[in-house]
Coordinates of all heavy atoms in Angstrom, one line a residue:
M242 N -6.5 -9.4 -17.4 CA -5.3 -10.1 -16.9 C -5.7 -11.1 -15.9 O -6.5 -10.9 -15.0 CB -4.3 -9.1 -16.2 CG -3.6 -8.2 -17.2 SD -2.4 -7.3 -16.2 CE -2.4 -5.8 -17.1
P243 N -5.0 -12.3 -15.9 CA -5.4 -13.4 -15.0 C -5.2 -13.0 -13.5 O -6.0 -13.4 -12.7 CB -4.5 -14.5 -15.3 CG -3.9 -14.2 -16.7 CD -4.0 -12.7 -16.9
H244 N -4.2 -12.2 -13.2 CA -3.9 -11.9 -11.8 C -4.9 -10.8 -11.2 O -4.9 -10.6 -10.0 CB -2.5 -11.4 -11.6 CG -2.2 -10.1 -12.3 ND1 -1.9 -10.1 -13.7 CD2 -2.1 -8.9 -11.9 CE1 -1.7 -8.9 -14.1 NE2 -1.8 -8.1 -13.0
D245 N -5.8 -10.3 -12.1 CA -6.8 -9.3 -11.6 C -8.1 -10.0 -11.2 O -9.0 -9.3 -10.7 CB -7.1 -8.3 -12.7 CG -5.9 -7.4 -13.0 OD1 -5.1 -7.2 -12.0 OD2 -5.8 -6.9 -14.1
R246 N -8.2 -11.3 -11.3 CA -9.4 -12.0 -10.9 C -9.5 -12.0 -9.4 O -8.5 -12.0 -8.7 CB -9.4 -13.5 -11.3 CG -9.6 -13.7 -12.8 CD -9.7 -15.1 -13.1 NE -8.7 -15.4 -14.2 CZ -8.1 -16.5 -14.4 NH1 -8.4 -17.5 -13.7 NH2 -7.3 -16.6 -15.4
P247 N -10.8 -11.9 -8.9 CA -10.9 -11.9 -7.4 C -10.5 -13.2 -6.8 O -10.6 -14.3 -7.5 CB -12.4 -11.7 -7.2 CG -13.1 -12.0 -8.5 CD -12.0 -11.8 -9.6
T248 N -10.1 -13.2 -5.6 CA -9.7 -14.4 -4.8 C -10.9 -15.2 -4.5 O -11.9 -14.6 -4.0 CB -9.0 -14.0 -3.5 OG1 -7.8 -13.2 -3.9 CG2 -8.5 -15.2 -2.8
P249 N -11.0 -16.5 -4.8 CA -12.1 -17.3 -4.4 C -12.3 -17.3 -2.9 O -11.3 -17.4 -2.1 CB -11.8 -18.7 -4.9 CG -10.6 -18.6 -5.8 CD -9.9 -17.3 -5.4
T250 N -13.6 -17.2 -2.4 CA -13.8 -17.2 -1.0 C -14.9 -18.3 -0.7 O -15.7 -18.7 -1.6 CB -14.3 -15.9 -0.5 OG1 -15.5 -15.5 -1.3 CG2 -13.3 -14.8 -0.7
D251 N -14.9 -18.7 0.6 CA -16.0 -19.6 1.0 C -17.2 -18.9 1.5 O -17.2 -17.7 1.4 CB -15.4 -20.6 2.0 CG -15.0 -19.9 3.3 OD1 -15.4 -18.8 3.5 OD2 -14.3 -20.6 4.1
A252 N -18.2 -19.6 2.1 CA -19.4 -19.0 2.5 C -19.2 -17.9 3.6 O -20.0 -17.0 3.8 CB -20.4 -20.0 3.0
R253 N -18.1 -18.1 4.4 CA -17.8 -17.1 5.4 C -16.9 -15.9 5.0 O -16.5 -15.1 5.8 CB -17.0 -17.8 6.6 CG -17.9 -18.9 7.3 CD -17.0 -19.8 8.1 NE -16.1 -20.4 7.2 CZ -15.0 -21.1 7.6 NH1 -14.7 -21.1 8.9 NH2 -14.2 -21.7 6.8
G254 N -16.6 -15.9 3.7 CA -15.8 -14.8 3.2 C -14.3 -15.1 3.3 O -13.5 -14.2 3.0
Q255 N -14.0 -16.3 3.8 CA -12.6 -16.6 4.0 C -12.0 -17.1 2.6 O -12.7 -17.7 1.8 CB -12.4 -17.8 5.0 CG -12.9 -17.5 6.3 CD -12.0 -16.5 7.0 OE1 -10.8 -16.6 6.9 NE2 -12.6 -15.6 7.8
S256 N -10.7 -16.8 2.4 CA -10.1 -17.2 1.2 C -10.0 -18.7 1.1 O -9.6 -19.4 2.0 CB -8.7 -16.6 1.1 OG -8.0 -16.9 -0.1
R257 N -10.5 -19.3 0.0 CA -10.5 -20.7 -0.2 C -9.1 -21.2 -0.7 O -8.3 -20.4 -1.3 CB -11.4 -21.1 -1.3 CG -12.9 -21.2 -0.9 CD -13.8 -21.9 -1.9 NE -13.3 -21.7 -3.3 CZ -14.1 -21.5 -4.3 NH1 -15.4 -21.3 -4.2 NH2 -13.6 -21.4 -5.5
D258 N -8.7 -22.4 -0.4 CA -7.5 -22.9 -0.9 C -7.6 -23.2 -2.4 O -8.6 -23.6 -2.9 CB -7.2 -24.3 -0.3 CG -6.7 -24.1 1.2 OD1 -6.5 -23.0 1.6 OD2 -6.5 -25.1 1.8
V259 N -6.5 -22.8 -3.1 CA -6.4 -23.1 -4.6 C -5.1 -23.7 -4.8 O -4.1 -23.6 -4.0 CB -6.5 -21.8 -5.4 CG1 -7.9 -21.2 -5.3 CG2 -5.5 -20.8 -5.0
Q260 N -5.0 -24.4 -5.9 CA -3.7 -25.2 -6.2 C -2.7 -24.2 -6.7 O -2.9 -23.3 -7.5 CB -4.0 -26.2 -7.2 CG -2.7 -27.1 -7.5 CD -3.0 -28.3 -8.3 OE1 -4.2 -28.6 -8.7 NE2 -2.0 -29.0 -8.7
L261 N -1.4 -24.4 -6.2 CA -0.3 -23.7 -6.7 C 0.8 -24.7 -7.1 O 1.1 -25.6 -6.2 CB 0.3 -22.8 -5.6 CG 1.6 -22.1 -5.9 CD1 1.5 -21.1 -7.0 CD2 2.2 -21.5 -4.6
S262 N 1.3 -24.7 -8.3 CA 2.2 -25.8 -8.6 C 3.4 -25.1 -9.4 O 3.2 -24.1 -10.1 CB 1.6 -26.9 -9.4 OG 1.1 -26.4 -10.6
A263 N 4.5 -25.8 -9.3 CA 5.7 -25.3 -10.0 C 6.6 -26.5 -10.3 O 6.7 -27.4 -9.5 CB 6.5 -24.3 -9.2
M264 N 7.3 -26.5 -11.4 CA 8.2 -27.5 -11.7 C 9.6 -27.1 -11.1 O 10.0 -26.0 -11.3 CB 8.4 -27.6 -13.3 CG 7.1 -28.1 -14.0 SD 6.6 -29.7 -13.5 CE 7.9 -30.7 -14.2
V265 N 10.1 -28.0 -10.3 CA 11.4 -27.7 -9.6 C 12.3 -29.0 -9.8 O 11.8 -30.1 -10.1 CB 11.2 -27.4 -8.1 CG1 10.4 -26.2 -7.9 CG2 10.6 -28.6 -7.4
P266 N 13.6 -28.8 -9.7 CA 14.5 -29.9 -9.8 C 14.2 -31.0 -8.7 O 13.7 -30.6 -7.6 CB 15.9 -29.3 -9.6 CG 15.7 -27.9 -10.0 CD 14.3 -27.5 -9.6
G267 N 14.4 -32.2 -9.0 CA 14.1 -33.3 -8.0 C 14.8 -33.1 -6.7 O 14.2 -33.4 -5.7
H268 N 16.0 -32.6 -6.7 CA 16.7 -32.4 -5.4 C 16.1 -31.4 -4.6 O 16.1 -31.4 -3.3 CB 18.2 -32.1 -5.6 CG 18.5 -30.8 -6.2 ND1 18.4 -30.5 -7.5 CD2 18.9 -29.6 -5.5 CE1 18.7 -29.2 -7.7 NE2 19.0 -28.7 -6.5
V269 N 15.4 -30.4 -5.2 CA 14.7 -29.3 -4.5 C 13.5 -29.9 -3.8 O 13.2 -29.7 -2.6 CB 14.4 -28.1 -5.4 CG1 13.5 -27.1 -4.7 CG2 15.6 -27.4 -5.9
R270 N 12.7 -30.7 -4.5 CA 11.5 -31.3 -4.0 C 11.9 -32.2 -2.8 O 11.3 -32.2 -1.7 CB 10.8 -32.1 -5.0 CG 9.5 -32.8 -4.5 CD 8.7 -33.4 -5.5 NE 9.3 -34.8 -5.8 CZ 8.7 -35.7 -6.6 NH1 7.5 -35.4 -7.1 NH2 9.3 -36.8 -6.8
R271 N 13.0 -33.0 -3.0 CA 13.4 -33.9 -1.9 C 13.9 -33.1 -0.6 O 13.5 -33.4 0.5 CB 14.6 -34.8 -2.3 CG 14.2 -35.9 -3.3 CD 15.3 -36.9 -3.5 NE 16.4 -36.3 -4.3 CZ 16.5 -36.1 -5.6 NH1 15.5 -36.5 -6.3 NH2 17.5 -35.6 -6.1
A272 N 14.6 -32.0 -0.9 CA 15.0 -31.1 0.2 C 13.8 -30.5 1.0 O 13.8 -30.4 2.2 CB 15.9 -30.0 -0.3
V273 N 12.8 -30.1 0.2 CA 11.6 -29.5 0.8 C 10.9 -30.5 1.7 O 10.5 -30.3 2.8 CB 10.7 -28.8 -0.2 CG1 9.3 -28.5 0.4 CG2 11.4 -27.6 -0.9
R274 N 10.7 -31.7 1.1 CA 10.0 -32.8 1.9 C 10.8 -33.2 3.1 O 10.2 -33.4 4.2 CB 9.8 -34.0 1.0 CG 8.8 -33.8 -0.1 CD 8.6 -35.0 -0.9 NE 7.5 -34.9 -1.8 CZ 7.1 -35.8 -2.7 NH1 7.8 -36.9 -2.8 NH2 6.1 -35.6 -3.5
L275 N 12.1 -33.2 3.0 CA 12.9 -33.6 4.2 C 12.8 -32.5 5.2 O 12.7 -32.8 6.4 CB 14.4 -33.8 3.7 CG 15.4 -34.1 4.8 CD1 15.0 -35.4 5.5 CD2 16.8 -34.1 4.3
R276 N 12.9 -31.3 4.9 CA 12.8 -30.2 5.8 C 11.5 -30.2 6.5 O 11.4 -30.0 7.7 CB 13.1 -28.8 5.2 CG 12.9 -27.6 6.1 CD 14.0 -27.6 7.2 NE 15.3 -27.5 6.7 CZ 15.9 -26.3 6.6 NH1 15.3 -25.2 6.8 NH2 17.2 -26.3 6.1
A277 N 10.4 -30.4 5.7 CA 9.1 -30.4 6.3 C 9.0 -31.5 7.4 O 8.5 -31.4 8.5 CB 8.0 -30.6 5.2
E278 N 9.5 -32.7 7.0 CA 9.5 -33.8 7.9 C 10.3 -33.5 9.2 O 9.9 -33.8 10.3 CB 10.0 -35.1 7.3 CG 9.8 -36.3 8.2 CD 10.0 -37.6 7.5 OE1 9.9 -37.7 6.2 OE2 10.2 -38.6 8.2
Q279 N 11.5 -33.0 9.0 CA 12.3 -32.6 10.2 C 11.6 -31.6 11.1 O 11.8 -31.7 12.3 CB 13.6 -32.0 9.7 CG 14.6 -33.0 9.0 CD 15.7 -32.3 8.3 OE1 15.7 -31.1 8.0 NE2 16.8 -33.1 8.1
E280 N 10.8 -30.8 10.6 CA 10.2 -29.7 11.4 C 8.8 -30.2 11.8 O 8.1 -29.4 12.5 CB 10.1 -28.4 10.6 CG 11.5 -27.9 10.4 CD 11.5 -26.4 9.8 OE1 10.5 -25.7 10.0 OE2 12.6 -26.1 9.3
G281 N 8.4 -31.4 11.4 CA 7.1 -31.9 11.9 C 5.9 -31.2 11.2 O 4.8 -31.0 11.7
L282 N 6.2 -30.7 9.9 CA 5.2 -30.0 9.2 C 4.8 -30.7 7.9 O 5.5 -31.6 7.5 CB 5.7 -28.6 8.7 CG 6.1 -27.6 9.9 CD1 6.8 -26.5 9.3 CD2 4.8 -27.2 10.6
T283 N 3.7 -30.3 7.3 CA 3.5 -30.8 5.9 C 4.2 -29.9 5.0 O 4.7 -28.8 5.3 CB 2.0 -30.7 5.6 OG1 1.6 -29.3 5.7 CG2 1.1 -31.6 6.5
V284 N 4.4 -30.3 3.7 CA 5.0 -29.5 2.7 C 4.2 -28.2 2.6 O 4.8 -27.1 2.5 CB 5.2 -30.2 1.4 CG1 5.6 -29.3 0.3 CG2 6.2 -31.4 1.5
R285 N 2.9 -28.3 2.6 CA 2.1 -27.1 2.5 C 2.4 -26.1 3.7 O 2.5 -24.9 3.4 CB 0.6 -27.5 2.5 CG -0.4 -26.4 2.6 CD -1.8 -26.9 2.8 NE -2.8 -25.9 2.6 CZ -3.2 -25.1 3.6 NH1 -2.6 -25.3 4.8 NH2 -4.1 -24.2 3.5
G286 N 2.4 -26.7 4.9 CA 2.7 -25.8 6.0 C 4.0 -25.2 6.0 O 4.2 -24.0 6.3
L287 N 5.0 -25.9 5.6 CA 6.4 -25.4 5.4 C 6.4 -24.2 4.4 O 6.9 -23.2 4.7 CB 7.4 -26.5 5.0 CG 8.8 -26.0 4.8 CD1 9.4 -25.4 6.1 CD2 9.7 -27.1 4.2
L288 N 5.9 -24.5 3.2 CA 5.9 -23.5 2.2 C 5.1 -22.2 2.6 O 5.5 -21.1 2.3 CB 5.3 -24.1 0.9 CG 6.2 -25.1 0.2 CD1 5.5 -25.7 -1.0 CD2 7.6 -24.6 -0.1
L289 N 3.9 -22.4 3.2 CA 3.2 -21.2 3.7 C 3.9 -20.4 4.7 O 3.9 -19.2 4.7 CB 1.8 -21.7 4.2 CG 0.8 -22.1 3.2 CD1 -0.5 -22.7 3.8 CD2 0.4 -20.9 2.3
R290 N 4.6 -21.1 5.6 CA 5.4 -20.4 6.6 C 6.6 -19.7 6.0 O 6.8 -18.5 6.3 CB 6.0 -21.4 7.7 CG 6.6 -20.6 8.9 CD 7.4 -21.5 9.8 NE 8.6 -21.8 9.1 CZ 9.3 -22.9 9.3 NH1 8.9 -23.8 10.1 NH2 10.5 -23.1 8.7
L291 N 7.2 -20.3 5.0 CA 8.3 -19.6 4.3 C 7.8 -18.4 3.5 O 8.5 -17.3 3.5 CB 9.1 -20.6 3.4 CG 9.8 -21.7 4.1 CD1 10.3 -22.7 3.1 CD2 11.0 -21.1 4.9
I292 N 6.7 -18.5 2.9 CA 6.1 -17.4 2.2 C 5.7 -16.3 3.1 O 6.0 -15.1 2.8 CB 4.8 -17.9 1.4 CG1 5.3 -18.8 0.2 CG2 4.0 -16.7 0.9 CD1 4.1 -19.5 -0.5
R293 N 5.2 -16.6 4.3 CA 4.9 -15.6 5.3 C 6.2 -14.9 5.8 O 6.3 -13.7 5.8 CB 4.1 -16.2 6.4 CG 3.8 -15.2 7.5 CD 3.2 -15.8 8.7 NE 4.1 -16.7 9.4 CZ 3.8 -17.5 10.4 NH1 2.6 -17.6 10.8 NH2 4.8 -18.3 10.9
D294 N 7.2 -15.7 6.1 CA 8.4 -15.2 6.7 C 9.2 -14.3 5.7 O 9.9 -13.4 6.1 CB 9.3 -16.3 7.2 CG 8.7 -17.1 8.4 OD1 7.7 -16.6 9.0 OD2 9.3 -18.1 8.8
A295 N 9.0 -14.6 4.4 CA 9.7 -13.8 3.4 C 8.9 -12.6 3.1 O 9.4 -11.7 2.3 CB 9.8 -14.7 2.1
G296 N 7.8 -12.4 3.7 CA 7.0 -11.2 3.4 C 6.3 -11.2 2.1 O 5.8 -10.1 1.6
I297 N 6.1 -12.3 1.5 CA 5.5 -12.4 0.2 C 3.9 -12.2 0.3 O 3.3 -11.6 -0.5 CB 5.8 -13.7 -0.5 CG1 7.3 -13.8 -0.8 CG2 5.0 -14.0 -1.8 CD1 7.8 -15.1 -1.3
A298 N 3.4 -12.9 1.3 CA 1.9 -12.8 1.5 C 1.6 -12.9 3.0 O 2.4 -13.5 3.8 CB 1.2 -13.9 0.7
E299 N 0.5 -12.4 3.4 CA 0.0 -12.6 4.8 C -0.5 -14.1 4.9 O -1.3 -14.5 4.1 CB -1.1 -11.6 5.2 CG -0.6 -10.2 5.3 CD -1.6 -9.3 5.7 OE1 -2.6 -9.7 6.4 OE2 -1.5 -8.1 5.4
V300 N -0.1 -14.8 5.9 CA -0.5 -16.2 6.2 C -0.9 -16.3 7.6 O 0.0 -16.0 8.5 CB 0.5 -17.2 5.8 CG1 0.1 -18.6 6.1 CG2 0.9 -17.1 4.3
D301 N -2.1 -16.6 7.9 CA -2.5 -16.8 9.3 C -1.9 -18.1 9.9 O -1.8 -19.1 9.1 CB -4.1 -16.9 9.4 CG -4.7 -15.6 9.0 OD1 -4.1 -14.5 9.3 OD2 -5.8 -15.6 8.5
D302 N -1.7 -18.2 11.2 CA -1.2 -19.4 11.8 C -2.2 -20.6 11.6 O -1.7 -21.7 11.4 CB -1.1 -19.2 13.3 CG 0.1 -18.3 13.7 OD1 1.1 -18.2 12.8 OD2 0.2 -17.8 14.8
G303 N -3.5 -20.3 11.5 CA -4.4 -21.3 11.2 C -4.3 -22.0 9.9 O -4.6 -23.1 9.7
D304 N -3.7 -21.3 8.9 CA -3.4 -21.8 7.6 C -2.3 -22.8 7.6 O -2.1 -23.6 6.7 CB -3.1 -20.7 6.6 CG -4.3 -19.8 6.3 OD1 -5.5 -20.4 6.4 OD2 -4.1 -18.7 6.0
L305 N -1.4 -22.8 8.7 CA -0.3 -23.7 8.7 C -0.6 -25.0 9.3 O 0.2 -26.0 9.2 CB 0.8 -23.0 9.6 CG 1.3 -21.6 9.2 CD1 2.3 -21.1 10.1 CD2 1.8 -21.6 7.7
V306 N -1.8 -25.2 9.8 CA -2.2 -26.4 10.5 C -2.5 -27.5 9.4 O -3.1 -27.2 8.4 CB -3.5 -26.2 11.3 CG1 -4.0 -27.5 11.9 CG2 -3.2 -25.2 12.4
D307 N -2.1 -28.7 9.8 CA -2.4 -29.9 8.9 C -3.8 -30.2 9.0 O -4.2 -30.7 10.1 CB -1.5 -31.1 9.3 CG -1.7 -32.3 8.4 OD1 -2.5 -32.2 7.5 OD2 -1.0 -33.3 8.6
R308 N -4.6 -30.0 8.0 CA -6.0 -30.2 8.1 C -6.4 -31.6 7.7 O -7.6 -32.0 7.7 CB -6.8 -29.2 7.2 CG -6.6 -27.8 7.8 CD -7.2 -26.8 7.0 NE -6.7 -26.8 5.7 CZ -6.8 -25.8 4.8 NH1 -7.5 -24.8 5.1 NH2 -6.3 -26.0 3.6
R309 N -5.5 -32.5 7.3 CA -5.8 -33.8 6.9 C -6.0 -34.7 8.1 O -6.5 -35.8 8.0 CB -4.6 -34.5 6.1 CG -4.3 -33.7 4.9 CD -3.1 -34.3 4.2 NE -2.0 -34.2 5.2 CZ -0.8 -34.8 5.0 NH1 -0.6 -35.5 3.9 NH2 0.2 -34.6 5.9
T310 N -5.7 -34.3 9.3 CA -5.8 -35.1 10.5 C -6.7 -34.3 11.5 O -7.0 -33.2 11.3 CB -4.5 -35.4 11.2 OG1 -3.9 -34.1 11.5 CG2 -3.6 -36.1 10.2
S311 N -7.0 -35.0 12.6 CA -7.8 -34.3 13.7 C -7.0 -33.3 14.3 O -5.7 -33.3 14.3 CB -8.3 -35.4 14.7 OG -7.2 -36.0 15.3
P312 N -7.6 -32.3 14.9 CA -6.9 -31.2 15.6 C -5.9 -31.7 16.6 O -6.3 -32.6 17.4 CB -8.0 -30.3 16.2 CG -9.2 -30.6 15.4 CD -9.1 -32.1 15.0
G313 N -4.7 -31.2 16.6 CA -3.7 -31.6 17.6 C -2.9 -32.8 17.2 O -2.0 -33.2 17.9
A314 N -3.3 -33.5 16.1 CA -2.6 -34.7 15.7 C -1.8 -34.3 14.4 O -2.4 -33.8 13.5 CB -3.5 -35.8 15.5
G315 N -0.5 -34.7 14.4 CA 0.2 -34.4 13.2 C 0.1 -35.6 12.2 O -0.3 -36.7 12.6
A316 N 0.3 -35.3 10.9 CA 0.3 -36.4 9.9 C 1.4 -37.3 10.1 O 2.5 -36.9 10.4 CB 0.3 -35.8 8.5
P317 N 1.2 -38.6 10.0 CA 2.3 -39.6 10.2 C 3.3 -39.4 9.0 O 2.9 -39.1 7.9 CB 1.6 -40.9 10.1 CG 0.3 -40.7 9.6 CD -0.1 -39.3 9.8
S318 N 4.6 -39.6 9.3 CA 5.6 -39.4 8.3 C 5.5 -40.7 7.4 O 5.0 -41.7 7.8 CB 7.0 -39.3 8.9 OG 7.3 -40.6 9.5
R319 N 6.0 -40.5 6.2 CA 6.1 -41.7 5.3 C 6.9 -42.8 5.8 O 6.5 -44.0 5.7 CB 6.7 -41.3 3.9 CG 5.8 -40.4 3.1 CD 6.4 -40.1 1.8 NE 5.4 -39.4 1.0 CZ 5.5 -39.3 -0.3 NH1 6.6 -39.7 -0.9 NH2 4.6 -38.6 -1.0
A320 N 8.0 -42.5 6.5 CA 8.8 -43.6 7.1 C 8.0 -44.4 8.1 O 8.1 -45.6 8.2 CB 10.1 -43.0 7.7
S321 N 7.3 -43.7 9.0 CA 6.6 -44.4 10.1 C 5.4 -45.2 9.5 O 5.1 -46.3 10.0 CB 6.1 -43.5 11.2 OG 5.2 -42.6 10.7
T322 N 4.8 -44.7 8.5 CA 3.6 -45.5 7.9 C 4.1 -46.6 7.1 O 3.5 -47.7 7.1 CB 2.7 -44.6 7.0 OG1 3.5 -43.9 6.0 CG2 2.0 -43.5 7.9
A323 N 5.3 -46.5 6.5 CA 5.8 -47.6 5.7 C 6.3 -48.7 6.5 O 6.2 -49.9 6.2 CB 7.0 -47.1 4.8
S324 N 6.8 -48.4 7.8 CA 7.2 -49.5 8.6 C 6.1 -50.0 9.6 O 6.4 -50.9 10.4 CB 8.4 -49.0 9.5 OG 7.9 -47.9 10.3
G325 N 4.9 -49.4 9.4 CA 3.8 -49.9 10.2 C 3.7 -49.2 11.6 O 2.9 -49.6 12.4
Q326 N 4.6 -48.3 11.9 CA 4.6 -47.6 13.1 C 3.7 -46.3 13.0 O 3.7 -45.7 12.0 CB 6.0 -47.2 13.5 CG 6.9 -48.3 13.7 CD 8.4 -47.8 13.8 OE1 8.6 -46.6 13.8 NE2 9.3 -48.8 14.0
S327 N 3.1 -45.9 14.1 CA 2.4 -44.7 14.1 C 3.2 -43.7 14.9 O 4.0 -44.1 15.8 CB 1.0 -44.8 14.6 OG 1.0 -45.3 16.0
R328 N 2.9 -42.4 14.8 CA 3.6 -41.4 15.5 C 3.1 -41.2 16.8 O 2.0 -41.3 17.2 CB 3.4 -40.1 14.7 CG 4.7 -39.4 14.4 CD 4.5 -38.5 13.3 NE 4.8 -37.1 13.9 CZ 4.8 -36.1 13.1 NH1 4.5 -36.2 11.9 NH2 5.1 -34.9 13.6

């Protein structure tokens, strides 16, 4: 069974990131993106927090951090990058 495969890990034995995708209605995607922006999170961070809060899986606080930017810096929103402003 596919769900019986071991979880991929990195050299330190930490669980590696893997892709999770789902087809959702457009209004749901827009709502998720809007909520993430309102809360200063990435969509990934928002979804991981919701998964943790719902008790679906254990998620460490470190997994909620936006890793696309330097530590302590949030990702610029689409609106600010489109207008040439930085956060």
Side-chain angles (χ1 to χ4, degrees):
M242 285 188 216
H244 63 283
D245 289 335
R246 286 187 234 153
T248 302
T250 57
D251 64 15
R253 296 168 296 167
Q255 298 290 321
S256 185
R257 283 192 329 223
D258 286 352
V259 295
Q260 185 172 353
L261 170 69
S262 61
M264 297 296 294
V265 297
H268 72 278
V269 171
R270 183 175 77 172
R271 286 188 297 278
V273 169
R274 287 179 173 179
L275 178 61
R276 176 64 63 92
E278 185 168 342
Q279 289 170 341
E280 295 190 21
L282 298 169
T283 61
V284 169
R285 176 187 186 275
L287 176 66
L288 293 176
L289 286 173
R290 192 191 74 207
L291 293 170
I292 289 167
R293 179 185 66 190
D294 292 352
I297 295 170
E299 290 183 26
V300 178
D301 295 328
D302 286 340
D304 292 329
L305 304 178
V306 175
D307 182 359
R308 295 178 302 196
R309 298 175 302 170
T310 61
S311 61
S318 68
R319 287 184 173 194
S321 65
T322 55
S324 65
Q326 301 171 358
S327 62
R328 234 163 115 174

